[in-house]
Amino acid sequence: MAGLTAISAAADQDGGVANSNTAPPEKTDRVQFELEWDAYYTSAAVIFCMTDEPIPKVGEKNEFDVYKDLLKQSFVPRHLLFEASVYPMPSLGSLIKQDQRRFYDKAEVIDGFNLLTAITAGFDEPYAVSFFTGNVVSFEKKGEARKAGNNGYMGYLISVGDYHIKDNTFIYDRWCEIEWKLKGDRVFTNQTLSWSFRVGTKIHNHPDITDSVYISLRRSRLDFDAPAESFLKNSGFEYTFSATEGTFKPISHHFSVDKKWPIKDKKIAFSLVLGFVWETDRKYTGNLSRNKSSDFQLFIRPNIYF
């Protein structure tokens, strides 16, 4: 994630009566509001603690230990999260094609390769509303102010929406996605590390969009202390494989790699993601069918982290 900019918290004070020999009860964060900004994923969320305990702070514990602890607690969900998210660049690409078709067509720099499509491809919907139940931990580093979205999650997520994006075109489709997710975004001053593992299913109301099951892996790292030419410490990847529900025949492969160029004294970094989406003719049927056995789309996503 890029540009995490705002966070506020509502405190809930423990009960009890203070006396001359007792310190006032400590306030704990029971409700946490977060706002995340990015050109490709922007969201607003509220996290509720269902117990008297606040979101645990795990400091700089490594990701393996974090999720080992979360897994031990996963049978008893302690947190609820509501989130509204929007995908600005994919939505913009579809709006341009819808309202400025001549401009959109002029972006086809070579036959079959449209620059606007390449910049905005890879997302199947313009926005979503999500509900999460599971366990959450907060990453904090001594001496640093906490940044928004600096959490680890493990649990179940349900997302819904009413539009689908195909070839930069909005299609009315009431869809529902159910997944188990293990995710973390650890954002410190000189280093950002994000990772995600999820499995799930996506169900569509539109008869010509195929219901699917999928598995997805993602990991991304930004390190201002590492040399700019360091690939391993300033890079990332994402891979998602989806198949038809029930028969498990391949529907699509989504793969990308990215490289980041950090500017340490400015605390900003430029990023370039290169990838592809390969879809079989199983993804769309009927009126939405592309009338070919498969479709291959390259994409490129410039971004900035700050």
Side-chain angles (χ1 to χ4, degrees):
M1 295 298 172
L4 308 180
T5 58
I7 180 170
S8 61
D12 186 24
Q13 185 167 317
D14 295 335
V17 179
N19 57 46
S20 58
N21 297 318
T22 304
E26 182 182 357
K27 291 184 177 182
T28 59
D29 295 341
R30 296 282 304 284
V31 180
Q32 187 168 291
F33 300 93
E34 299 195 343
L35 185 63
E36 229 174 295
W37 297 96
D38 183 74
Y40 289 89
Y41 179 89
T42 293
S43 66
V46 57
I47 303 172
F48 298 93
C49 297
M50 295 188 291
T51 69
D52 292 333
E53 298 180 0
I55 295 174
K57 298 178 174 64
V58 296
E60 300 177 70
K61 185 180 290 188
N62 69 61
E63 62 202 79
F64 177 80
D65 290 335
V66 167
Y67 287 112
K68 183 175 66 176
D69 294 342
L70 280 171
L71 186 60
K72 291 177 182 177
Q73 304 170 12
S74 62
F75 298 104
V76 184
R78 291 175 170 83
H79 303 97
L80 296 175
L81 181 147
F82 296 94
E83 179 185 84
S85 56
V86 63
Y87 314 120
M89 289 297 287
S91 300
L92 179 61
S94 299
L95 288 171
I96 291 174
K97 184 176 182 179
Q98 174 182 283
D99 299 329
Q100 301 291 330
R101 186 56 187 262
R102 291 183 62 187
F103 176 76
Y104 181 86
D105 290 341
K106 287 180 179 179
E108 186 165 339
V109 292
I110 58 175
D111 186 33
F113 182 80
N114 186 294
L115 187 57
L116 280 173
T117 301
I119 293 174
T120 60
F123 292 80
D124 282 344
E125 55 272 335
Y127 51 77
V129 176
S130 303
F131 167 76
F132 169 87
T133 180
N135 291 290
V136 183
V137 296
S138 175
F139 298 118
E140 294 192 8
K141 187 174 184 178
K142 188 175 181 180
E144 290 191 11
R146 186 184 179 278
K147 296 179 176 63
N150 213 358
N151 297 321
Y153 306 87
M154 178 179 285
Y156 297 92
L157 184 74
I158 299 176
S159 300
V160 296
D162 59 1
Y163 272 93
H164 180 85
I165 295 177
K166 174 184 178 288
D167 301 330
N168 284 121
T169 300
F170 293 120
I171 299 170
Y172 184 70
D173 169 44
R174 296 193 303 275
W175 56 269
C176 177
E177 185 175 35
I178 303 171
E179 62 184 22
W180 177 83
K181 173 174 285 190
L182 185 157
K183 176 180 181 291
D185 293 289
R186 190 167 65 192
V187 185
F188 297 146
T189 299
N190 288 328
Q191 186 184 98
T192 297
L193 183 62
S194 300
W195 61 94
S196 172
F197 173 77
R198 57 196 180 100
V199 294
T201 182
K202 195 168 187 178
I203 301 168
H204 300 271
N205 175 259
H206 196 293
D208 296 334
I209 305 177
T210 305
D211 297 339
S212 63
V213 294
Y214 61 84
I215 183 170
S216 180
L217 299 167
R218 178 181 60 83
R219 182 181 172 87
S220 178
R221 178 170 175 169
L222 169 64
D223 193 333
F224 286 101
D225 292 326
E229 62 273 14
S230 173
F231 184 81
L232 292 178
K233 293 186 177 181
N234 284 294
S235 65
F237 80 94
E238 181 175 2
Y239 174 67
T240 301
F241 169 73
S242 66
T244 56
E245 191 177 44
T247 58
F248 302 104
K249 294 181 179 179
I251 290 178
S252 67
H253 296 271
H254 177 292
F255 178 74
S256 66
V257 293
D258 71 81
K259 177 69 176 74
K260 304 175 183 70
W261 292 271
I263 303 176
K264 185 174 182 179
D265 57 339
K266 301 290 186 181
K267 285 296 183 288
I268 63 173
F270 298 97
S271 171
L272 187 64
V273 179
L274 298 175
F276 68 85
V277 178
W278 178 77
E279 296 174 349
T280 70
D281 58 0
R282 299 184 184 95
K283 182 164 185 176
Y284 300 108
T285 59
N287 292 330
L288 296 183
S289 175
R290 293 192 174 104
N291 297 318
K292 50 185 176 179
S293 61
S294 65
D295 185 73
F296 184 84
Q297 173 65 57
L298 292 171
F299 62 81
I300 177 172
R301 296 176 190 158
N303 211 340
I304 183 169
Y305 290 73
F306 56 91

